[in-house]
Amino acid sequence: MGFQMIAQEWQTPKIEGYGKIKYFENAAEQPDASIHHKLVFNITDEKEKEGVNAGLWRIARTLNLFEAAKMPSEKLEVVAVVHGEATYLALSEAMYQKKYNKPNPNLELLKLLKANGVKVYVCGQALSGRDFEPKDMNEYTQLALSALTVLSNYQHKGYALIQ
């Protein structure tokens, strides 16, 4: 009997409207339900995918892939640290509007990620280095002393680094 891939439609089963996936039930490698998956995403640039930060989009895709594979949500922990040019996604609507003259396109996705247990930190050093303060942040991100401390802390706690 030959191996067959059944073509699937693009879908967003967990984070609606973001991080679309095609799920292949017969793919040789699937998320392993015997593992407690702990991931820390390092988001450093402002590149966009489908209108939102590409790093946040990848997190949405990850959650969608694990959902499609019927991975229990308690088996997946996701943390992200935002710094470098990506720092601006952590701004409030008012501050983003002031900087870019348009609404922050990441707020809805950040809200959905937070509602699904994703912790998003912004580097305090990157925020300050761009002349912003913690009061300028949106409600879906948390202030960290630095990206370096987030990455170090979470990797020591067993989180796999996703670049």
Side-chain angles (χ1 to χ4, degrees):
M1 182 160 85
F3 182 74
Q4 180 179 347
M5 284 286 197
I6 300 168
Q8 301 292 320
E9 295 298 316
W10 290 106
Q11 58 180 302
T12 55
K14 183 86 168 174
I15 307 298
E16 190 174 334
Y18 300 97
K20 65 185 178 182
I21 65 160
K22 282 193 177 190
Y23 182 63
F24 298 99
E25 192 174 313
N26 296 326
E29 187 66 25
Q30 299 278 346
D32 186 341
S34 71
I35 297 171
H36 186 96
H37 299 264
K38 300 189 318 185
L39 309 174
V40 58
F41 286 78
N42 186 28
I43 302 175
T44 61
D45 65 49
E46 60 185 346
K47 188 171 76 172
E48 290 188 355
K49 182 150 182 139
E50 297 181 7
V52 295
N53 179 278
L56 294 178
W57 188 93
R58 284 181 68 209
I59 295 171
R61 173 170 266 184
T62 301
L63 270 59
N64 287 329
L65 287 166
F66 277 69
E67 180 73 13
K70 298 182 178 28
M71 175 68 69
S73 57
E74 63 271 9
K75 292 274 195 165
L76 177 63
E77 290 181 59
V78 177
V79 171
V81 63
V82 175
H83 56 116
E85 293 304 312
T87 302
Y88 301 113
L89 73 81
L91 293 176
S92 68
E93 185 68 52
M95 294 309 290
Y96 195 95
Q97 184 80 41
K98 187 175 178 181
K99 175 161 181 54
Y100 291 107
N101 293 316
K102 67 177 187 176
N104 185 340
N106 301 291
L107 292 181
E108 181 62 27
L109 177 51
L110 284 165
K111 179 181 178 181
L112 290 170
L113 293 176
K114 184 175 182 178
N116 282 279
V118 177
K119 295 179 185 168
V120 179
Y121 295 99
V122 65
C123 174
Q125 307 311 300
L127 194 67
S128 296
R130 285 160 178 77
D131 297 321
F132 291 104
E133 299 178 31
K135 67 177 177 56
D136 299 326
M137 293 169 43
N138 65 61
E139 62 192 282
Y140 310 114
T141 55
Q142 300 177 62
L143 182 67
L145 177 61
S146 70
L148 296 171
T149 54
V150 171
L151 292 169
S152 175
N153 286 345
Y154 279 91
Q155 286 180 84
H156 282 291
K157 292 176 186 177
Y159 282 67
L161 176 62
I162 309 294
Q163 293 282 17

Short mmCIF file of all heavy atoms in Angstrom, two decimals, residues 15 36-43 55-56 58-60 62-63 73 76-83 89-90 109-123 137-144 146-147 150-151 153-154 157 159-162:
data_model
loop_
_atom_site.label_atom_id
_atom_site.label_comp_id
_atom_site.label_asym_id
_atom_site.label_seq_id
_atom_site.Cartn_x
_atom_site.Cartn_y
_atom_site.Cartn_z
N ILE A 15 -6.20 29.62 16.57
CA ILE A 15 -6.07 31.08 16.57
C ILE A 15 -6.75 31.57 15.29
O ILE A 15 -6.12 31.70 14.24
CB ILE A 15 -4.59 31.52 16.64
CG1 ILE A 15 -3.87 30.88 17.82
CG2 ILE A 15 -4.50 33.05 16.70
CD1 ILE A 15 -4.44 31.24 19.19
N HIS A 36 5.96 17.08 27.00
CA HIS A 36 5.43 18.39 27.40
C HIS A 36 6.26 19.41 26.63
O HIS A 36 7.43 19.61 26.92
CB HIS A 36 5.58 18.58 28.91
CG HIS A 36 4.93 19.83 29.40
ND1 HIS A 36 3.67 19.85 29.92
CD2 HIS A 36 5.38 21.11 29.41
CE1 HIS A 36 3.36 21.09 30.24
NE2 HIS A 36 4.37 21.87 29.95
N HIS A 37 5.65 20.03 25.63
CA HIS A 37 6.35 20.95 24.73
C HIS A 37 6.44 22.33 25.37
O HIS A 37 5.41 22.93 25.70
CB HIS A 37 5.63 21.03 23.39
CG HIS A 37 5.57 19.73 22.67
ND1 HIS A 37 6.49 19.37 21.71
CD2 HIS A 37 4.74 18.67 22.81
CE1 HIS A 37 6.21 18.16 21.27
NE2 HIS A 37 5.15 17.71 21.91
N LYS A 38 7.66 22.84 25.53
CA LYS A 38 7.89 24.17 26.09
C LYS A 38 8.75 24.93 25.09
O LYS A 38 9.88 24.53 24.81
CB LYS A 38 8.57 24.07 27.45
CG LYS A 38 7.72 23.29 28.45
CD LYS A 38 8.18 23.29 29.89
CE LYS A 38 9.62 23.12 30.16
NZ LYS A 38 9.93 23.00 31.60
N LEU A 39 8.19 26.02 24.54
CA LEU A 39 8.85 26.77 23.48
C LEU A 39 9.01 28.23 23.88
O LEU A 39 8.08 28.83 24.41
CB LEU A 39 8.02 26.70 22.20
CG LEU A 39 7.59 25.31 21.73
CD1 LEU A 39 6.65 25.42 20.54
CD2 LEU A 39 8.78 24.44 21.40
N VAL A 40 10.18 28.79 23.59
CA VAL A 40 10.39 30.23 23.76
C VAL A 40 10.77 30.80 22.39
O VAL A 40 11.75 30.38 21.78
CB VAL A 40 11.43 30.57 24.85
CG1 VAL A 40 12.80 29.96 24.60
CG2 VAL A 40 11.54 32.09 25.04
N PHE A 41 9.94 31.71 21.90
CA PHE A 41 10.15 32.35 20.60
C PHE A 41 10.94 33.64 20.79
O PHE A 41 10.60 34.46 21.65
CB PHE A 41 8.81 32.67 19.94
CG PHE A 41 8.11 31.48 19.38
CD1 PHE A 41 7.42 30.60 20.20
CD2 PHE A 41 8.12 31.23 18.02
CE1 PHE A 41 6.76 29.50 19.68
CE2 PHE A 41 7.47 30.12 17.48
CZ PHE A 41 6.79 29.25 18.31
N ASN A 42 11.96 33.82 19.98
CA ASN A 42 12.79 35.02 19.99
C ASN A 42 12.39 35.88 18.79
O ASN A 42 12.70 35.53 17.65
CB ASN A 42 14.27 34.61 19.91
CG ASN A 42 15.21 35.77 20.06
OD1 ASN A 42 14.90 36.77 20.70
ND2 ASN A 42 16.37 35.67 19.45
N ILE A 43 11.67 36.96 19.04
CA ILE A 43 11.13 37.80 17.96
C ILE A 43 11.90 39.11 17.92
O ILE A 43 11.81 39.91 18.85
CB ILE A 43 9.62 38.05 18.17
CG1 ILE A 43 8.88 36.71 18.22
CG2 ILE A 43 9.07 38.95 17.06
CD1 ILE A 43 7.41 36.83 18.56
N GLY A 55 6.81 36.97 13.49
CA GLY A 55 7.10 36.15 14.66
C GLY A 55 5.83 35.76 15.42
O GLY A 55 5.67 34.61 15.83
N LEU A 56 4.94 36.71 15.58
CA LEU A 56 3.65 36.41 16.22
C LEU A 56 2.84 35.46 15.35
O LEU A 56 2.18 34.55 15.86
CB LEU A 56 2.85 37.69 16.47
CG LEU A 56 3.43 38.68 17.47
CD1 LEU A 56 2.53 39.92 17.56
CD2 LEU A 56 3.63 38.05 18.84
N ARG A 58 4.01 33.17 13.44
CA ARG A 58 4.58 31.82 13.62
C ARG A 58 4.07 31.17 14.89
O ARG A 58 3.87 29.95 14.94
CB ARG A 58 6.11 31.87 13.64
CG ARG A 58 6.69 32.05 12.26
CD ARG A 58 8.20 32.08 12.28
NE ARG A 58 8.72 30.78 12.66
CZ ARG A 58 9.87 30.58 13.30
NH1 ARG A 58 10.63 31.61 13.63
NH2 ARG A 58 10.28 29.38 13.60
N ILE A 59 3.88 31.96 15.94
CA ILE A 59 3.32 31.41 17.18
C ILE A 59 1.90 30.93 16.92
O ILE A 59 1.52 29.84 17.35
CB ILE A 59 3.37 32.44 18.32
CG1 ILE A 59 4.81 32.79 18.67
CG2 ILE A 59 2.63 31.91 19.55
CD1 ILE A 59 4.96 33.96 19.64
N ALA A 60 1.11 31.74 16.22
CA ALA A 60 -0.26 31.34 15.88
C ALA A 60 -0.25 30.04 15.07
O ALA A 60 -1.03 29.12 15.33
CB ALA A 60 -0.97 32.45 15.11
N THR A 62 2.02 27.72 15.10
CA THR A 62 2.40 26.64 16.01
C THR A 62 1.20 26.15 16.80
O THR A 62 0.95 24.94 16.88
CB THR A 62 3.51 27.11 16.97
OG1 THR A 62 4.65 27.52 16.20
CG2 THR A 62 3.92 26.03 17.94
N LEU A 63 0.44 27.07 17.38
CA LEU A 63 -0.75 26.68 18.14
C LEU A 63 -1.77 25.98 17.24
O LEU A 63 -2.40 25.00 17.66
CB LEU A 63 -1.37 27.89 18.82
CG LEU A 63 -0.86 28.20 20.23
CD1 LEU A 63 0.61 28.47 20.28
CD2 LEU A 63 -1.63 29.34 20.85
N SER A 73 -3.96 20.95 25.07
CA SER A 73 -3.38 22.29 25.26
C SER A 73 -2.47 22.34 26.48
O SER A 73 -1.52 23.12 26.51
CB SER A 73 -4.47 23.34 25.35
OG SER A 73 -5.37 23.05 26.39
N LEU A 76 1.40 22.03 25.91
CA LEU A 76 2.13 23.04 25.16
C LEU A 76 2.19 24.34 25.95
O LEU A 76 1.16 24.89 26.34
CB LEU A 76 1.45 23.29 23.81
CG LEU A 76 2.06 24.38 22.92
CD1 LEU A 76 3.48 24.03 22.50
CD2 LEU A 76 1.18 24.61 21.69
N GLU A 77 3.40 24.81 26.21
CA GLU A 77 3.61 26.11 26.85
C GLU A 77 4.44 26.97 25.91
O GLU A 77 5.48 26.53 25.42
CB GLU A 77 4.36 25.95 28.17
CG GLU A 77 3.56 25.28 29.27
CD GLU A 77 4.35 25.18 30.55
OE1 GLU A 77 4.79 26.23 31.08
OE2 GLU A 77 4.56 24.04 31.01
N VAL A 78 3.96 28.18 25.67
CA VAL A 78 4.63 29.07 24.73
C VAL A 78 4.88 30.43 25.38
O VAL A 78 3.98 31.02 25.98
CB VAL A 78 3.82 29.25 23.44
CG1 VAL A 78 4.50 30.24 22.50
CG2 VAL A 78 3.60 27.91 22.74
N VAL A 79 6.13 30.87 25.23
CA VAL A 79 6.57 32.18 25.71
C VAL A 79 7.24 32.85 24.52
O VAL A 79 7.85 32.19 23.69
CB VAL A 79 7.58 32.01 26.87
CG1 VAL A 79 8.21 33.33 27.25
CG2 VAL A 79 6.91 31.37 28.07
N ALA A 80 7.13 34.18 24.45
CA ALA A 80 7.83 34.93 23.41
C ALA A 80 8.50 36.13 24.04
O ALA A 80 7.97 36.71 24.99
CB ALA A 80 6.87 35.38 22.33
N VAL A 81 9.65 36.48 23.50
CA VAL A 81 10.29 37.74 23.90
C VAL A 81 10.48 38.57 22.65
O VAL A 81 10.93 38.08 21.61
CB VAL A 81 11.62 37.52 24.66
CG1 VAL A 81 12.66 36.84 23.82
CG2 VAL A 81 12.13 38.83 25.23
N VAL A 82 10.09 39.83 22.76
CA VAL A 82 10.11 40.78 21.66
C VAL A 82 11.19 41.81 21.94
O VAL A 82 11.22 42.39 23.03
CB VAL A 82 8.72 41.46 21.54
CG1 VAL A 82 8.74 42.55 20.50
CG2 VAL A 82 7.64 40.43 21.28
N HIS A 83 12.07 42.01 20.95
CA HIS A 83 13.11 43.05 21.09
C HIS A 83 13.58 43.44 19.71
O HIS A 83 13.00 43.03 18.71
CB HIS A 83 14.24 42.58 22.02
CG HIS A 83 14.92 41.30 21.61
ND1 HIS A 83 16.23 41.23 21.24
CD2 HIS A 83 14.46 40.03 21.53
CE1 HIS A 83 16.56 39.99 20.97
NE2 HIS A 83 15.49 39.23 21.13
N LEU A 89 5.80 46.35 18.19
CA LEU A 89 4.53 45.63 18.26
C LEU A 89 3.95 45.65 19.67
O LEU A 89 2.76 45.44 19.86
CB LEU A 89 4.65 44.20 17.73
CG LEU A 89 5.39 43.14 18.55
CD1 LEU A 89 4.55 42.54 19.65
CD2 LEU A 89 5.88 42.05 17.63
N ALA A 90 4.80 45.92 20.67
CA ALA A 90 4.36 45.95 22.06
C ALA A 90 3.73 47.29 22.45
O ALA A 90 3.23 47.44 23.56
CB ALA A 90 5.55 45.66 22.98
N LEU A 109 -4.22 39.84 17.34
CA LEU A 109 -3.47 38.59 17.46
C LEU A 109 -2.86 38.46 18.86
O LEU A 109 -2.93 37.38 19.45
CB LEU A 109 -2.38 38.51 16.38
CG LEU A 109 -1.48 37.28 16.42
CD1 LEU A 109 -2.26 35.97 16.49
CD2 LEU A 109 -0.52 37.29 15.24
N LEU A 110 -2.30 39.53 19.38
CA LEU A 110 -1.76 39.48 20.75
C LEU A 110 -2.85 39.10 21.76
O LEU A 110 -2.60 38.30 22.67
CB LEU A 110 -1.14 40.83 21.13
CG LEU A 110 0.22 41.12 20.52
CD1 LEU A 110 0.56 42.61 20.66
CD2 LEU A 110 1.31 40.26 21.16
N LYS A 111 -4.03 39.65 21.57
CA LYS A 111 -5.16 39.33 22.46
C LYS A 111 -5.50 37.84 22.39
O LYS A 111 -5.69 37.18 23.42
CB LYS A 111 -6.37 40.18 22.06
CG LYS A 111 -7.61 39.93 22.87
CD LYS A 111 -8.75 40.80 22.36
CE LYS A 111 -10.03 40.52 23.13
NZ LYS A 111 -11.13 41.35 22.62
N LEU A 112 -5.56 37.29 21.17
CA LEU A 112 -5.87 35.87 20.99
C LEU A 112 -4.77 34.98 21.58
O LEU A 112 -5.06 33.96 22.20
CB LEU A 112 -6.06 35.56 19.51
CG LEU A 112 -7.32 36.12 18.86
CD1 LEU A 112 -7.26 35.96 17.35
CD2 LEU A 112 -8.57 35.46 19.43
N LEU A 113 -3.52 35.37 21.38
CA LEU A 113 -2.41 34.58 21.93
C LEU A 113 -2.48 34.56 23.45
O LEU A 113 -2.35 33.51 24.08
CB LEU A 113 -1.07 35.12 21.44
CG LEU A 113 -0.79 34.97 19.94
CD1 LEU A 113 0.53 35.62 19.58
CD2 LEU A 113 -0.81 33.50 19.52
N LYS A 114 -2.70 35.73 24.05
CA LYS A 114 -2.79 35.80 25.51
C LYS A 114 -3.95 34.95 26.02
O LYS A 114 -3.81 34.22 27.01
CB LYS A 114 -2.94 37.25 25.97
CG LYS A 114 -2.94 37.39 27.48
CD LYS A 114 -2.97 38.83 27.92
CE LYS A 114 -2.91 38.90 29.44
NZ LYS A 114 -2.89 40.29 29.92
N ALA A 115 -5.09 35.02 25.34
CA ALA A 115 -6.26 34.22 25.73
C ALA A 115 -5.99 32.73 25.66
O ALA A 115 -6.64 31.94 26.33
CB ALA A 115 -7.46 34.58 24.86
N ASN A 116 -4.99 32.34 24.86
CA ASN A 116 -4.62 30.93 24.72
C ASN A 116 -3.35 30.57 25.50
O ASN A 116 -2.70 29.58 25.20
CB ASN A 116 -4.48 30.57 23.24
CG ASN A 116 -5.84 30.38 22.60
OD1 ASN A 116 -6.44 29.32 22.72
ND2 ASN A 116 -6.36 31.41 21.95
N GLY A 117 -3.01 31.40 26.48
CA GLY A 117 -1.94 31.08 27.41
C GLY A 117 -0.54 31.47 27.00
O GLY A 117 0.42 31.15 27.70
N VAL A 118 -0.38 32.14 25.88
CA VAL A 118 0.95 32.57 25.43
C VAL A 118 1.37 33.80 26.22
O VAL A 118 0.61 34.76 26.34
CB VAL A 118 0.97 32.87 23.92
CG1 VAL A 118 2.34 33.39 23.48
CG2 VAL A 118 0.58 31.63 23.13
N LYS A 119 2.57 33.77 26.77
CA LYS A 119 3.14 34.92 27.47
C LYS A 119 4.06 35.66 26.52
O LYS A 119 4.99 35.06 25.97
CB LYS A 119 3.93 34.49 28.70
CG LYS A 119 3.10 33.84 29.78
CD LYS A 119 3.98 33.42 30.94
CE LYS A 119 3.16 32.66 31.95
NZ LYS A 119 4.01 31.99 32.93
N VAL A 120 3.79 36.95 26.30
CA VAL A 120 4.62 37.76 25.42
C VAL A 120 5.29 38.84 26.26
O VAL A 120 4.61 39.66 26.89
CB VAL A 120 3.81 38.40 24.27
CG1 VAL A 120 4.72 39.27 23.40
CG2 VAL A 120 3.13 37.32 23.44
N TYR A 121 6.61 38.80 26.28
CA TYR A 121 7.41 39.78 27.01
C TYR A 121 8.07 40.74 26.03
O TYR A 121 8.42 40.35 24.92
CB TYR A 121 8.52 39.09 27.81
CG TYR A 121 8.03 38.19 28.91
CD1 TYR A 121 7.96 36.82 28.73
CD2 TYR A 121 7.65 38.71 30.15
CE1 TYR A 121 7.51 35.98 29.74
CE2 TYR A 121 7.20 37.87 31.17
CZ TYR A 121 7.14 36.52 30.95
OH TYR A 121 6.69 35.69 31.96
N VAL A 122 8.26 41.97 26.47
CA VAL A 122 9.03 42.93 25.68
C VAL A 122 10.27 43.29 26.50
O VAL A 122 10.21 43.43 27.72
CB VAL A 122 8.22 44.18 25.28
CG1 VAL A 122 7.81 44.99 26.50
CG2 VAL A 122 9.00 45.03 24.30
N CYS A 123 11.38 43.40 25.81
CA CYS A 123 12.65 43.74 26.44
C CYS A 123 12.61 45.19 26.93
O CYS A 123 12.40 46.12 26.13
CB CYS A 123 13.77 43.57 25.42
SG CYS A 123 15.39 44.12 25.97
N MET A 137 3.14 50.62 26.62
CA MET A 137 2.90 49.26 26.13
C MET A 137 1.41 48.94 26.03
O MET A 137 0.60 49.54 26.73
CB MET A 137 3.54 48.24 27.07
CG MET A 137 5.05 48.29 27.10
SD MET A 137 5.78 47.30 28.43
CE MET A 137 4.82 45.81 28.41
N ASN A 138 1.09 47.95 25.19
CA ASN A 138 -0.29 47.46 25.14
C ASN A 138 -0.53 46.48 26.28
O ASN A 138 0.41 46.03 26.94
CB ASN A 138 -0.61 46.84 23.76
CG ASN A 138 0.19 45.61 23.48
OD1 ASN A 138 0.11 44.61 24.18
ND2 ASN A 138 0.99 45.65 22.42
N GLU A 139 -1.78 46.16 26.50
CA GLU A 139 -2.17 45.34 27.65
C GLU A 139 -1.87 43.84 27.48
O GLU A 139 -2.05 43.07 28.42
CB GLU A 139 -3.66 45.52 27.94
CG GLU A 139 -4.55 45.07 26.77
CD GLU A 139 -5.98 45.51 26.93
OE1 GLU A 139 -6.71 44.87 27.71
OE2 GLU A 139 -6.36 46.49 26.26
N TYR A 140 -1.42 43.44 26.31
CA TYR A 140 -1.20 42.02 26.04
C TYR A 140 0.25 41.60 26.17
O TYR A 140 0.58 40.42 26.00
CB TYR A 140 -1.73 41.65 24.65
CG TYR A 140 -3.14 42.15 24.44
CD1 TYR A 140 -3.43 43.13 23.51
CD2 TYR A 140 -4.18 41.65 25.21
CE1 TYR A 140 -4.72 43.61 23.33
CE2 TYR A 140 -5.48 42.11 25.05
CZ TYR A 140 -5.74 43.09 24.11
OH TYR A 140 -7.01 43.57 23.95
N THR A 141 1.14 42.55 26.43
CA THR A 141 2.56 42.25 26.61
C THR A 141 2.98 42.59 28.03
O THR A 141 2.36 43.42 28.69
CB THR A 141 3.42 43.06 25.61
OG1 THR A 141 3.13 44.44 25.75
CG2 THR A 141 3.16 42.63 24.18
N GLN A 142 4.03 41.92 28.47
CA GLN A 142 4.56 42.15 29.81
C GLN A 142 5.99 42.66 29.69
O GLN A 142 6.73 42.25 28.80
CB GLN A 142 4.57 40.85 30.61
CG GLN A 142 3.21 40.22 30.80
CD GLN A 142 3.34 38.91 31.55
OE1 GLN A 142 3.79 38.88 32.69
NE2 GLN A 142 2.97 37.81 30.89
N LEU A 143 6.36 43.51 30.60
CA LEU A 143 7.71 44.06 30.62
C LEU A 143 8.68 43.06 31.22
O LEU A 143 8.43 42.49 32.28
CB LEU A 143 7.74 45.36 31.43
CG LEU A 143 9.07 46.08 31.50
CD1 LEU A 143 9.48 46.61 30.13
CD2 LEU A 143 9.01 47.21 32.52
N ALA A 144 9.80 42.85 30.56
CA ALA A 144 10.90 42.04 31.08
C ALA A 144 12.10 42.96 31.26
O ALA A 144 12.24 43.96 30.54
CB ALA A 144 11.26 40.93 30.11
N SER A 146 15.06 42.34 30.39
CA SER A 146 15.76 42.29 29.11
C SER A 146 15.38 41.02 28.37
O SER A 146 14.91 40.06 28.97
CB SER A 146 17.27 42.33 29.30
OG SER A 146 17.72 41.11 29.87
N ALA A 147 15.61 41.03 27.07
CA ALA A 147 15.42 39.81 26.27
C ALA A 147 16.43 38.75 26.71
O ALA A 147 16.11 37.57 26.77
CB ALA A 147 15.58 40.11 24.79
N VAL A 150 15.10 36.86 29.69
CA VAL A 150 13.98 35.98 29.33
C VAL A 150 14.53 34.73 28.64
O VAL A 150 14.18 33.60 29.01
CB VAL A 150 12.96 36.68 28.41
CG1 VAL A 150 11.93 35.69 27.87
CG2 VAL A 150 12.27 37.82 29.16
N LEU A 151 15.38 34.92 27.64
CA LEU A 151 15.92 33.78 26.89
C LEU A 151 16.73 32.86 27.79
O LEU A 151 16.59 31.64 27.72
CB LEU A 151 16.77 34.28 25.71
CG LEU A 151 15.97 34.98 24.61
CD1 LEU A 151 16.91 35.66 23.62
CD2 LEU A 151 15.03 34.02 23.90
N ASN A 153 16.55 32.58 31.20
CA ASN A 153 15.69 31.96 32.20
C ASN A 153 14.90 30.80 31.62
O ASN A 153 14.86 29.71 32.20
CB ASN A 153 14.70 32.98 32.78
CG ASN A 153 15.35 33.96 33.74
OD1 ASN A 153 16.46 33.76 34.21
ND2 ASN A 153 14.66 35.05 33.99
N TYR A 154 14.25 31.03 30.49
CA TYR A 154 13.38 30.00 29.94
C TYR A 154 14.16 28.82 29.36
O TYR A 154 13.71 27.68 29.45
CB TYR A 154 12.38 30.59 28.95
CG TYR A 154 11.20 31.20 29.68
CD1 TYR A 154 11.21 32.54 30.05
CD2 TYR A 154 10.12 30.43 30.06
CE1 TYR A 154 10.14 33.09 30.76
CE2 TYR A 154 9.05 30.96 30.76
CZ TYR A 154 9.07 32.30 31.11
OH TYR A 154 8.03 32.83 31.82
N LYS A 157 14.94 26.61 32.07
CA LYS A 157 13.74 25.91 32.53
C LYS A 157 13.31 24.82 31.55
O LYS A 157 12.25 24.23 31.69
CB LYS A 157 12.58 26.90 32.71
CG LYS A 157 12.78 27.88 33.84
CD LYS A 157 11.63 28.89 33.87
CE LYS A 157 11.89 29.96 34.90
NZ LYS A 157 10.82 31.00 34.90
N TYR A 159 12.89 25.18 28.06
CA TYR A 159 12.18 25.63 26.87
C TYR A 159 13.09 25.58 25.66
O TYR A 159 14.24 25.98 25.73
CB TYR A 159 11.68 27.07 27.04
CG TYR A 159 10.45 27.20 27.90
CD1 TYR A 159 10.49 26.91 29.27
CD2 TYR A 159 9.23 27.62 27.36
CE1 TYR A 159 9.37 27.03 30.06
CE2 TYR A 159 8.10 27.75 28.15
CZ TYR A 159 8.17 27.46 29.50
OH TYR A 159 7.05 27.57 30.28
N ALA A 160 12.57 25.08 24.56
CA ALA A 160 13.34 25.03 23.30
C ALA A 160 13.27 26.42 22.67
O ALA A 160 12.20 27.02 22.57
CB ALA A 160 12.73 24.00 22.36
N LEU A 161 14.42 26.91 22.22
CA LEU A 161 14.51 28.22 21.58
C LEU A 161 14.08 28.12 20.13
O LEU A 161 14.61 27.33 19.36
CB LEU A 161 15.94 28.75 21.67
CG LEU A 161 16.21 30.08 20.97
CD1 LEU A 161 15.38 31.19 21.59
CD2 LEU A 161 17.70 30.40 21.04
N ILE A 162 13.09 28.94 19.77
CA ILE A 162 12.62 29.02 18.39
C ILE A 162 13.01 30.40 17.86
O ILE A 162 12.56 31.41 18.40
CB ILE A 162 11.09 28.85 18.28
CG1 ILE A 162 10.62 27.59 19.02
CG2 ILE A 162 10.65 28.85 16.82
CD1 ILE A 162 11.09 26.28 18.45
#
